[in-house]
Amino acid sequence: MSKRLPQRDAHGFKVKKVVLDSHRKIEGNGVSIFEEESQGASYIKDYVHGLRRVTPYYFTFLTHCKERWQDRKLIEVFKSEFRMKPFSYYYNAIANGEVKLNDQVANVDSVLRNGDLISHRIHRHEPPVTLDEIEIAYEDDEITVINKPSGIPVHPTGRYRHNSITMIMKQEMGTIAHTCNRLDRLTSGIMFLGKTAMKTAKMVQQIKERNVGKVYIAKCKGKFPLGLQVVDKPLLTIDPRLTFNLVDLEDGKEAKTLFRRISYDTKDNTSIVKCMPLTGRTHQIRVHLQFIGYPIANDPVYSSPYVWGLTLGKGFLHKENPGYLKEVSERSEKIGKTKQSTSWYYPEESGELLLEEGCEVCGSELYSDPGVNDLILWLHAYRYYSHEQSWDYSTKMPKWSIEGHHREMMKLAIEEAKKCDHTETAFNVGCIITDENGEIISRGYSREFEGNTHAEQCALMKLDYKLPPGSILYTTMEPCSERLSGNKPCVNRIIDLKGEVITVFVGVVEPKKFIADNTGKRQLEDAGVNYLHIDGYEDEILALATR
């Protein structure tokens, strides 16, 4: 007997069996599971609190028995795999005949077999998520590249369904999104959504085979060390319900991440750090940063003083201290229920909490609105690129990484550009250089010194090309990688400093008016210098540059 081929949609994607099952009529209800959900759920945009809410609705959970569930009691699987509701709820639901196996009422002694369909109809309450828009970074006939907001899960999971990226795009943009890469709910940044099965499969395969480079931006506790930092520590999922991961030198899976400091802020003792994961383990960047003592500053899991205590889990190996792990796990279980979340940056409790009252319709437990520790994580997927150089996508820098000091420095660089004398053959550019603590140590502007001197060149000349380690250079336009006059390009001048400048911030990429192929960015990054764009000043900078 030939194997039955999977059903596919118009774009070549497999249609999951549970999707087909959801279009069957509900016994005694006259509508299908899909119709009941669609008629009941709708968005409410709460602009006062900046939250996207979903009205409560009836929903029937459908799932087929996973391999690891086979030959186990249904009640045991609910206890170990599902965290959305307390165990007492699941026990009562099964005992009262509200859970079905293959359309037949199940009981607490029911055992799962291969292929079993589990169904459970509930009155569903979703947590609100941020109202931040889903930005389209790139789109063609085969793929959509988005800038995912923080705090929104990629696809329906746990307590979230309509408040997920794929459902929001489907209902508000009319886009059927098939994800190619994964980001945690709290992580923002680059996501690829395939429009065709062939393109999606190709992208997924590239990522799976590690043929894709990834660059993330994080804001961490403390003064991150200079130079390339390599963390090569295997990771193990300790509790799948909490998605709780730790370093495990014996049983963990291979995990390696490279880190470079971008800048340090003395005001709040935080560092902006470039993170380059070479493997793709769950919470890899977050756990590696925690392990070396620089956790993401507002991480409600891995920088929580309540969960970890004063050490915040630095260097923690759970097998060497199982008692501490038990305490950490127990405290983690309370977050979002009897304890609000905390983080190193926001140590005061602020977050979702289980309320005393229940739903008037179904009696389900209700929660308070999420707080600052629940909605935003300072971790952003900034850039993904093909090692084969066939594609390269990036987003704007996240606001939390450049607001304040960095923008002020770019504004001062613009003021320097205003000092340039008139010319029709060169750009007017301004430059500011700071030390690692953000103090200005030099300024410069185009043609400040005799000859066709560039802004970066002038600022470096004032320092006699001797800068303190960790210095940062702000320039209104991209440093030149080629000089038609024969002078040394500014990119080479920066590279020759051998790491004294760790980051170059630019206000706009140099137009291809004088140099057809400016390779400055690639050269700087190859030399270990961070190259980043501060957006929002392009029009002003270009007007000054060519006045």
Side-chain angles (χ1 to χ4, degrees), residues 193-239:
L193 306 170
K195 292 183 177 182
T196 67
M198 185 175 295
K199 181 66 174 181
T200 302
K202 183 178 179 180
M203 288 293 293
V204 170
Q205 191 66 21
Q206 277 190 291
I207 295 171
K208 184 178 180 180
E209 294 177 351
R210 300 180 186 175
N211 289 327
V212 173
K214 305 172 186 177
V215 178
Y216 287 69
I217 307 295
K219 183 174 180 176
C220 304
K221 164 189 174 293
K223 191 173 186 177
F224 200 83
L226 293 173
L228 182 67
Q229 305 298 313
V230 181
V231 182
D232 190 358
K233 300 293 182 183
L235 301 180
L236 182 70
T237 299
I238 302 298
D239 189 335

Side-chain angles (χ1 to χ4, degrees), residues 92-131:
N92 292 331
I94 296 173
N96 294 332
E98 297 171 9
V99 178
K100 294 182 178 181
L101 273 181
N102 306 317
D103 295 328
Q104 301 297 314
V105 174
N107 58 57
V108 293
D109 295 317
S110 296
V111 176
L112 292 174
R113 306 299 183 193
N114 182 36
D116 280 351
L117 175 65
I118 307 167
S119 60
H120 176 42
R121 181 174 180 266
I122 65 168
H123 189 239
R124 191 164 184 175
H125 303 262
E126 291 195 36
V129 297
T130 175
L131 253 182

Side-chain angles (χ1 to χ4, degrees), residues 187-378:
T187 305
S188 59
I190 282 283
M191 277 208 65
F192 302 99
L193 306 170
K195 292 183 177 182
T196 67
M198 185 175 295
K199 181 66 174 181
T200 302
K202 183 178 179 180
M203 288 293 293
V204 170
Q205 191 66 21
Q206 277 190 291
I207 295 171
K208 184 178 180 180
E209 294 177 351
R210 300 180 186 175
N211 289 327
V212 173
K214 305 172 186 177
V215 178
Y216 287 69
I217 307 295
K219 183 174 180 176
C220 304
K221 164 189 174 293
K223 191 173 186 177
F224 200 83
L226 293 173
L228 182 67
Q229 305 298 313
V230 181
V231 182
D232 190 358
K233 300 293 182 183
L235 301 180
L236 182 70
T237 299
I238 302 298
D239 189 335
R241 293 173 305 148
L242 301 171
T243 321
F244 193 49
N245 296 269
L246 292 174
V247 169
D248 189 310
L249 302 179
E250 298 173 8
D251 301 320
K253 294 182 179 180
E254 173 197 10
K256 186 175 184 179
T257 315
L258 312 181
F259 298 99
R260 284 190 186 276
R261 188 212 294 177
I262 293 172
S263 63
Y264 173 66
D265 192 334
T266 58
K267 294 180 181 178
D268 61 3
N269 188 29
T270 61
S271 298
I272 303 299
V273 177
K274 178 192 285 187
C275 317
M276 295 158 282
L278 303 184
T279 51
R281 307 301 175 201
T282 301
H283 292 185
Q284 176 175 318
I285 294 173
R286 297 165 68 180
V287 178
H288 277 171
L289 285 169
Q290 179 200 38
F291 189 78
I292 62 175
Y294 301 95
I296 294 173
N298 71 338
D299 194 323
V301 177
Y302 300 105
S303 83
S304 169
Y306 167 73
V307 172
W308 295 96
L310 295 178
T311 66
L312 298 182
K314 179 182 179 180
F316 176 57
L317 296 172
H318 68 95
K319 289 181 179 177
E320 295 180 2
N321 196 341
Y324 181 50
L325 174 62
K326 183 180 179 183
E327 293 175 11
V328 167
S329 298
E330 289 174 349
R331 288 193 286 265
S332 297
E333 280 274 13
K334 297 177 182 178
I335 302 300
K337 295 179 180 178
T338 59
K339 293 287 292 185
Q340 292 175 302
S341 59
T342 61
S343 64
W344 176 80
Y345 201 87
Y346 298 111
E348 297 297 323
E349 292 188 14
S350 171
E352 196 177 50
L353 196 63
L354 194 60
L355 302 176
E356 294 182 1
E357 70 265 24
C359 172
E360 295 179 355
V361 176
C362 65
S364 294
E365 298 169 324
L366 299 178
Y367 292 81
S368 64
D369 281 347
V372 64
N373 286 314
D374 298 317
L375 291 172
I376 298 175
L377 178 70
W378 290 330

